[in-house]
Amino acid sequence: MKSIKSSKWAQHMKAYVWAYIGLFSVCLLTVNLLAAASFSIQPRVWGSLIVQIIICLLIADRVRFLLKSKQQYAVQMKEMTYMAYHDSLTGLPNRRLFEDRLERALLQAKRREQLVAVMLLDLDRFKGVNDTLGHACGDQLIRLAGQRLLSCLRGADTVFRQGGDEFTILLEYMAKPEDVRVVAARIQEELEEPFILDGTLVSVTASMGIALYPMDGDTPEQLMQHADEAMYAAKERGQNHFKFYASDIDAMVTGKAYLEKELRLALLHEHFELRYQPQYELASGRLKGVEAVLCWSKGDREPKYGLDWRKIADETGLAIPIGYWMLRTACMQVKSWQTAGYPPLRLTVGITSVQFEDPLLVEEFEAILKDTGMAAGRVEIDLTESISSSSVKEAGEKLRQLKALGVRIAMDDLCIGLFTRSGLEGMPMDSVKLDSTLVRDLPDDDENQALAAAIIRMAHRLGLNLIAKGVQTNAQLEHLQHLQCTEVQGELFSAPLHPTDFLSLMEENVTQSTT
């Protein structure tokens, strides 16, 4: 520690020695001037003072020169450091800086258990631009492409010009491969916009290969190599494509992107359809309500890759507009049956967690009920897996707002348990559900029997309606009758029906009730 302090002191004295000498000279000159003022001034004294003034001026000039040289040296060192870590053409980081950031990103990702993506990008048709417009325009295209790439990324991400028309991109702190796909698609869209080179419109695209840590490698060398291999595989697909190195991840991400596109088209062209499943009062057998079930009428555009389109709708946020379309369509349909003279039915509509978290949920419900003329008391929302323990208090406030509109609320035992554990036993609710997973093994599973009995007793004690879903066998039905369940629905009674088939079902019920 002592040697470190002495070394710092020596460096300090070396840097500021002329400043200290100048300060000492000024002090000495001041003392002499004060002394001269106290005595009669002789020519010899004047000569001494003039010499000291000249010496002080020379020292001051030397100090100024040294300080200016030090500033110039600092600027030059800064420029040299920048040039050592950046590309001279684009100003983007070079290989040395990129590899340093990549190593650091991998260490942080390992500690935080996050994804890191390395993307290798090659501009399609760049050689044609160089050959036809010249190297100056080619260099301009490289600079403009680098700027566009930066505009697509976050501050923590890095773009490195590998050479020629190739760029390498480092994406840190990624949660899932789909997030990387979003960035790749954004880059494609940005580069598809024409460039203006020397007054000429030029269109280029990009082929990209993507390698992910830790799936595709855990070292910089492995990730760079695999991203390069994926990029050449993307080129084999044609221009303007990107590909993940791992085939399973590539298939999953490609499938999700395809389904997202198809879902948007389906919403735009109203390719969704609703089916209606009847709900019966168990004691009387009377048709009591109907649940709207969303179906995707795909026609010739069959979804590929075997993915759950409902899950993709949740992940992409499309579940929100789809859910409102479903509510509006179902309200219009049930209201039309009521206007036609059929007995009014309670309409049950399921709400996903994504839709429930929409801040405009209450306003949208109010607007749809007003537009369709559907009575709020005839609409029941089914909170299937819509409430988590982290948001139960916020959910409670939203449910109170919905209840203020007059809408009925149905919950399963898990939702009720969440509210109870959070001290919100007084939450507004109208119905309790026995889910199909609970009903399925009801006759043979002692635990399910005990749980179903407890839920039914709770519903009776609270004065709530109780509906069992997914009833498929007579054995299940008999057990529910024994437990004094209120309402049932399921394949045993009817599958979800097309509106015309459901209308026929209502006509049969009207005929039976009049005979």
Side-chain angles (χ1 to χ4, degrees):
M1 180 64 71
K2 187 175 181 180
S3 61
I4 294 175
K5 289 183 178 180
S6 61
S7 176
K8 289 184 177 180
W9 172 253
Q11 293 176 0
H12 176 80
M13 291 301 298
K14 186 177 180 180
Y16 294 97
V17 60
W18 283 102
Y20 287 126
I21 292 174
L23 180 64
F24 175 76
S25 300
V26 170
C27 293
L28 181 62
L29 176 62
T30 302
V31 171
N32 287 333
L33 289 173
L34 292 174
S38 303
F39 303 98
S40 60
I41 301 177
Q42 301 295 327
R44 186 176 60 184
V45 175
W46 276 111
S48 175
L49 290 175
I50 291 172
V51 170
Q52 291 185 49
I53 290 173
I54 292 173
I55 293 174
C56 288
L57 291 174
L58 291 175
I59 293 175
D61 182 68
R62 178 62 179 174
V63 171
R64 183 188 64 80
F65 174 77
L66 289 175
L67 293 176
K68 184 177 180 181
S69 298
K70 184 178 180 181
Q71 293 175 351
Q72 292 176 346
Y73 176 76
V75 172
Q76 291 174 354
M77 286 298 298
K78 186 176 181 180
E79 291 177 352
M80 292 176 62
T81 302
Y82 182 86
M83 292 173 62
Y85 288 98
H86 291 80
D87 176 60
S88 58
L89 177 61
T90 62
L92 297 173
N94 61 12
R95 180 179 293 275
R96 179 188 295 181
L97 181 55
F98 180 84
E99 290 179 348
D100 178 69
R101 291 183 179 179
L102 178 55
E103 290 179 358
R104 183 189 62 191
L106 294 180
L107 289 175
Q108 293 178 348
K110 185 176 182 180
R111 288 196 297 266
R112 300 178 181 179
E113 297 183 350
Q114 293 177 321
L115 292 181
V116 171
V118 174
M119 304 172 61
L120 185 60
L121 180 150
D122 181 79
L123 294 178
D124 303 321
R125 301 194 297 272
F126 175 76
K127 186 176 183 300
V129 175
N130 249 352
D131 293 342
T132 57
L133 300 180
H135 292 287
C137 287
D139 290 346
Q140 185 183 4
L141 176 59
I142 291 294
R143 286 192 294 268
L144 294 175
Q147 294 171 8
R148 290 193 185 184
L149 290 176
L150 285 175
S151 69
C152 297
L153 306 178
R154 304 162 299 174
D157 301 327
T158 302
V159 183
F160 145 55
R161 184 191 171 214
Q162 187 162 325
D165 60 341
E166 289 188 353
F167 296 86
T168 305
I169 300 170
L170 170 63
L171 303 179
E172 302 185 47
Y173 315 117
M174 306 305 290
K176 54 185 182 296
E178 293 90 324
D179 297 337
V180 182
R181 182 198 67 79
V182 171
V183 177
R186 188 187 309 144
I187 290 173
Q188 280 186 327
E189 182 179 354
E190 186 68 25
L191 293 179
E192 285 173 357
E193 289 292 324
F195 293 85
I196 301 177
L197 305 177
D198 196 21
T200 303
L201 284 178
V202 175
S203 296
V204 297
T205 55
S207 298
M208 288 176 277
I210 305 170
L212 299 177
Y213 167 88
M215 294 83 86
D216 300 330
D218 53 8
T219 66
E221 294 78 12
Q222 289 176 335
L223 292 173
M224 292 288 287
Q225 178 183 348
H226 292 163
D228 186 64
E229 293 176 12
M231 189 264 289
Y232 281 102
K235 280 184 171 293
E236 292 177 359
R237 295 179 175 179
Q239 296 180 349
N240 202 26
H241 284 83
F242 62 85
K243 185 181 185 305
F244 287 81
Y245 175 76
S247 57
D248 55 340
I249 293 178
D250 188 67
M252 177 195 67
V253 173
T254 303
K256 287 187 175 181
Y258 172 85
L259 275 181
E260 179 181 351
K261 179 181 177 182
E262 292 297 298
L263 283 170
R264 293 187 186 279
L265 289 174
L267 183 60
L268 178 63
H269 300 294
E270 296 188 358
H271 288 163
F272 294 107
E273 292 183 358
L274 292 184
R275 299 286 187 268
Y276 298 90
Q277 188 169 38
Q279 299 170 330
Y280 293 94
E281 190 175 54
L282 194 53
S284 63
R286 184 168 62 93
L287 180 62
K288 192 71 177 290
V290 57
E291 180 175 9
V293 180
L294 182 66
C295 301
W296 186 0
S297 178
K298 312 168 196 68
D300 296 332
R301 307 176 68 89
E302 287 293 331
K304 303 176 182 178
Y305 306 102
L307 297 172
D308 184 356
W309 63 267
R310 289 177 175 81
K311 184 177 180 181
I312 304 302
D314 282 341
E315 292 178 357
T316 58
L318 288 171
I320 296 175
I322 292 174
Y324 292 140
W325 176 89
M326 177 181 176
L327 176 64
R328 181 178 294 274
T329 304
C331 286
M332 291 172 61
Q333 181 64 76
V334 174
K335 179 64 178 178
S336 69
W337 289 332
Q338 182 179 342
T339 304
Y342 292 96
L345 298 175
R346 181 190 64 236
L347 170 64
T348 301
V349 179
I351 293 183
T352 67
S353 59
V354 174
Q355 187 180 3
F356 188 79
E357 292 171 2
D358 180 24
L360 299 177
L361 177 69
V362 178
E363 290 82 353
E364 288 288 343
F365 257 78
E366 185 176 12
I368 291 173
L369 293 174
K370 181 179 179 180
D371 293 344
T372 60
M374 186 71 176
R378 289 288 178 183
V379 178
E380 184 170 81
I381 59 173
D382 184 354
L383 301 177
T384 304
E385 302 176 355
S386 297
I387 300 174
S388 64
S389 57
S390 61
S391 62
V392 64
K393 291 185 178 180
E394 293 81 358
E397 179 59 31
K398 187 169 291 187
L399 289 176
R400 290 188 182 93
Q401 294 175 9
L402 288 169
K403 191 61 182 174
L405 296 178
V407 175
R408 293 174 56 87
I409 297 172
M411 299 185 188
D412 59 15
D413 59 302
L414 296 178
C415 289
I416 295 173
L418 283 173
F419 284 119
T420 302
R421 288 192 298 272
S422 302
L424 301 174
E425 296 90 342
M427 285 307 304
M429 67 182 77
D430 301 276
S431 300
V432 179
K433 302 175 300 178
L434 287 179
D435 193 72
S436 57
T437 56
L438 180 62
V439 173
R440 182 180 58 228
D441 301 323
L442 192 57
D444 305 318
D445 191 311
D446 294 339
E447 291 185 4
N448 275 12
Q449 291 178 10
L451 179 58
I455 294 172
I456 292 173
R457 285 196 301 270
M458 176 191 66
H460 290 327
R461 185 176 67 254
L462 297 175
L464 302 175
N465 183 50
L466 181 71
I467 182 166
K469 296 189 173 185
V471 181
Q472 296 179 332
T473 66
N474 288 316
Q476 295 169 350
L477 179 61
E478 291 174 1
H479 203 88
L480 290 169
Q481 288 173 327
H482 174 72
L483 293 174
Q484 297 182 338
C485 185
T486 311
E487 296 181 18
V488 290
Q489 73 180 83
E491 296 286 339
L492 181 62
F493 305 96
S494 173
L497 300 173
H498 188 274
T500 55
D501 296 328
F502 194 88
L503 182 61
S504 301
L505 177 69
M506 287 193 294
E507 290 175 349
E508 291 177 4
N509 276 268
V510 171
T511 303
Q512 292 175 0
S513 63
T514 56
T515 57

